[in-house]
Amino acid sequence: MRQLLITFFTVGICLSSHAQEQVTPFEYEKETGYSGKNIPGITYQDDSFNFVVVGDFGRVGDYYQRDVAREMGHATVVLDANFIVSVGDNFYPDGVQSTQDYHWISSFEEIYKDPSLYRSWYVALGNHDYRGNVQAQIDYSQVSRRWNMPDRYYSKTFELENGKKMQMLVIDTNPFIKSYHKNPEKYLQIAEQDTAAQRQWLESELAKNDPSIAWKVVVGHHPLYSGGVRKESADTKLFEQQFADLFDKYKVDAYICGHEHDLQIIKPAGRYTTQYLSGAGSEVRQSGEREGTIFAATEPGFMTFSIVNNQLTVHVVKADPKGAAVLYKHNTNK
């Protein structure tokens, strides 16, 4: 009888211990039949808030687009990501004509097919999108469950696990690029956009007195800084002059952008805001460094963002025909 009680007690401990084991989102999906792969170097954290960022992607699956899309799907499973962000240039070379344009199928629906990518995408406009029908991209929000672009610029607030919030403001940077106004036939309706109204909206959103907002994120297409092809571009320098001080004033934690077709993290000396440039969703161009460069790579890929309590962790992920690899991990502590 005593031996039987000992046996029951031992089995009970084993079962209790097994029940308390943490199963990651990836392990759970694999157990239930998911066919995707893990990405070594990305670790899921309990109670984390996660999202994936890609940019400059819409090339009918060519260049590295399919490779990046495949590994984005894997990363979204690994992190159980809440959503995906696109920083613009969603369709090359000239945007889309309508919600029925075949580009929606060939460059979006048929490329981002991992089941994990069928969740909300929050989308910004790039300069190539302005060469087509911008309203069609806004209207596609009513066609697709996952495509979210309610307007040319918009805000979204997310609840975090600790009762705090992340404020995300998606801006339309194109009208602020002065050189585009010299070519209105190429950048359609660019002159009609009210930059003063958008800037006023942005300031009013950032100035909201909400103590529950722990993290402020701004998403746009054009970079404040670059060590890449546009390092000395007048457009880049003028954009920095228009927004860098504003972001610092309101303590924007992360400015997420693209336009350059590479992967960069930059925080110049004396600045509050860190810029994360993720524009390597398909075509790749030469990257480089400048003052404040934390990381730069001439590689196809994307970035993942994870918030746990007072820490933001960003993984820079390379994606090519061989698979995925984490190139760099960056932490910001509040």
Side-chain angles (χ1 to χ4, degrees):
M1 183 65 178
R2 183 185 178 193
Q3 184 62 43
L4 184 61
L5 289 173
I6 292 173
T7 301
F8 282 151
F9 181 70
T10 303
V11 170
I13 291 175
C14 291
L15 290 174
S16 175
S17 175
H18 180 74
Q20 292 177 4
E21 289 181 3
Q22 296 295 324
V23 177
T24 68
F26 177 78
E27 289 169 340
Y28 172 79
E29 295 298 338
K30 290 299 287 186
E31 289 175 359
T32 57
Y34 178 61
S35 60
K37 297 181 179 179
N38 197 0
I39 299 181
I42 300 180
T43 303
Y44 175 78
Q45 300 179 73
D46 290 337
D47 297 329
S48 58
F49 181 86
N50 308 286
F51 59 97
V52 175
V53 174
V54 67
D56 303 79
F57 62 77
R59 294 183 183 271
V60 199
D62 209 334
Y63 299 79
Y64 292 99
Q65 190 185 4
R66 291 187 187 277
D67 297 319
V68 174
R70 181 191 67 242
E71 300 305 331
M72 281 174 58
H74 296 162
T76 304
V77 170
V78 170
L79 290 172
D80 190 23
N82 296 72
F83 56 86
I84 297 96
V85 169
S86 167
V87 299
D89 275 4
N90 309 308
F91 301 99
Y92 288 94
D94 298 319
V96 291
Q97 180 61 31
S98 70
T99 59
Q100 303 302 311
D101 195 311
Y102 191 69
H103 230 334
W104 290 106
I105 304 299
S106 61
S107 289
F108 182 64
E109 302 290 2
E110 284 297 317
I111 304 300
Y112 302 97
K113 297 193 296 184
D114 191 288
S116 71
L117 298 177
Y118 279 83
R119 60 192 69 196
S120 293
W121 287 56
Y122 295 100
V123 188
L125 290 164
N127 53 297
H128 283 270
D129 301 311
Y130 257 83
R131 299 183 189 183
N133 184 350
V134 167
Q135 188 60 45
Q137 293 202 36
I138 296 172
D139 292 344
Y140 199 70
S141 302
Q142 304 302 315
V143 177
S144 168
R145 165 62 182 81
R146 55 178 171 166
W147 187 271
N148 290 273
M149 187 190 288
D151 212 329
R152 292 174 188 249
Y153 53 91
Y154 56 96
S155 64
K156 184 75 177 177
T157 301
F158 301 92
E159 299 282 345
L160 306 179
E161 290 293 334
N162 59 359
K164 297 295 186 178
K165 299 175 182 176
M166 185 189 85
Q167 179 190 47
M168 186 173 76
L169 304 174
V170 180
I171 63 175
D172 179 7
T173 60
N174 296 280
F176 294 95
I177 306 302
K178 294 183 178 180
S179 65
Y180 294 174
H181 291 261
K182 299 176 183 178
N183 198 347
E185 294 182 356
K186 184 176 183 179
Y187 300 101
L188 305 179
Q189 298 183 323
I190 195 81
E192 300 172 23
Q193 306 311 308
D194 189 338
T195 54
Q198 183 180 174
R199 188 180 177 91
Q200 183 179 19
W201 166 84
L202 178 61
E203 285 208 56
S204 66
E205 290 290 322
L206 289 173
K208 283 183 175 178
N209 186 22
D210 184 349
S212 67
I213 294 177
W215 297 90
K216 294 182 179 181
V217 173
V218 176
V219 176
H221 183 64
H222 293 84
L224 297 165
Y225 329 104
S226 177
V229 175
R230 295 181 174 90
K231 179 178 181 179
E232 302 299 332
S233 166
D235 287 342
T236 302
K237 293 181 178 181
L238 287 172
F239 190 74
E240 175 187 353
Q241 292 172 16
Q242 292 178 86
F243 286 100
D245 288 341
L246 178 68
F247 292 167
D248 283 352
K249 175 182 177 181
Y250 292 104
K251 297 193 182 314
V252 172
D253 298 289
Y255 176 58
I256 303 173
C257 60
H259 197 46
E260 294 280 55
H261 296 179
D262 56 18
L263 301 163
Q264 301 183 51
I265 302 175
I266 301 174
K267 185 180 182 182
R271 289 295 183 188
Y272 181 89
T273 302
T274 304
Q275 174 186 280
Y276 300 91
L277 193 158
S278 180
S282 56
E283 182 191 55
V284 176
R285 295 178 188 156
Q286 185 64 42
S287 189
E289 298 187 0
R290 53 148 285 163
E291 187 275 320
T293 294
I294 297 171
F295 176 81
T298 307
E299 300 286 357
F302 56 94
M303 295 184 183
T304 70
F305 289 69
S306 301
I307 296 175
V308 180
N309 296 320
N310 297 322
Q311 185 175 76
L312 168 65
T313 300
V314 177
H315 291 95
V316 183
V317 185
K318 173 184 176 181
D320 62 19
K322 298 179 182 179
V326 173
L327 300 177
Y328 191 77
K329 179 180 178 180
H330 183 258
N331 290 322
T332 298
N333 294 298
K334 300 278 282 189

